[in-house]
Amino acid sequence: QVQLVESGGGLVQAGGSLRLSCAASGRTFSSHIMGWFRQAPGKEREFVATITSSGDSTYYADSVKGRFTISRDNRKATVYLQMSSLKPEDTAVYYCAAGHRAQNGFAYDYWGQGTQVTVSS
């Protein structure tokens, strides 16, 4: 069992930056793939970024590529999402998730409660 707690959300002006953190409980953090997702009002949850268990590979949605950076610290059992050049369309609740490799990509088994990010124009 893995429990995830996000933090770092808030209100920021367009063009600004925020860093989200996701702290995990449990001893198996370093064996999990970690991801960030987001859900805007009235929209479905969408993929943002993923990092492999060792941190050697990262994947991003096209909409955030070049602006967001996912990283992890396995000693601290924490995954981060550094967000820069924020746009109003980045406004959403951001969730972190822990998962594993699946046949066709990644599957996520555990989810946090989410943290609100609001970008004003």
Side-chain angles (χ1 to χ4, degrees):
Q1 189 78 7
V2 177
Q3 293 185 326
L4 304 171
V5 179
E6 301 97 334
S7 62
L11 174 64
V12 63
Q13 288 188 333
S17 299
L18 278 176
R19 188 176 81 155
L20 305 183
S21 300
C22 174
S25 65
R27 301 179 180 179
T28 62
F29 176 81
S30 61
S31 66
H32 287 282
I33 284 166
M34 297 299 297
W36 285 97
F37 292 76
R38 67 186 182 186
Q39 187 168 19
K43 295 186 177 181
E44 294 187 354
R45 185 164 56 191
E46 65 175 0
F47 165 75
V48 175
T50 289
I51 187 166
T52 53
S53 57
S54 64
D56 58 351
S57 295
T58 56
Y59 307 88
Y60 296 93
D62 288 343
S63 59
V64 306
K65 203 171 292 184
R67 298 189 298 122
F68 290 12
T69 302
I70 188 171
S71 62
R72 67 189 295 161
D73 186 337
N74 285 344
R75 294 171 300 174
K76 295 182 179 180
T78 301
V79 63
Y80 305 98
L81 186 68
Q82 178 67 48
M83 306 185 294
S84 303
S85 301
L86 283 161
K87 305 174 182 180
E89 51 263 44
D90 295 317
T91 295
V93 177
Y94 283 71
Y95 300 89
C96 73
H100 61 278
R101 287 188 181 274
Q103 186 173 7
N104 296 320
F106 306 116
Y108 294 90
D109 309 297
Y110 306 100
W111 295 84
Q113 293 299 305
T115 186
Q116 177 71 46
V117 172
T118 302
V119 183
S120 63
S121 58

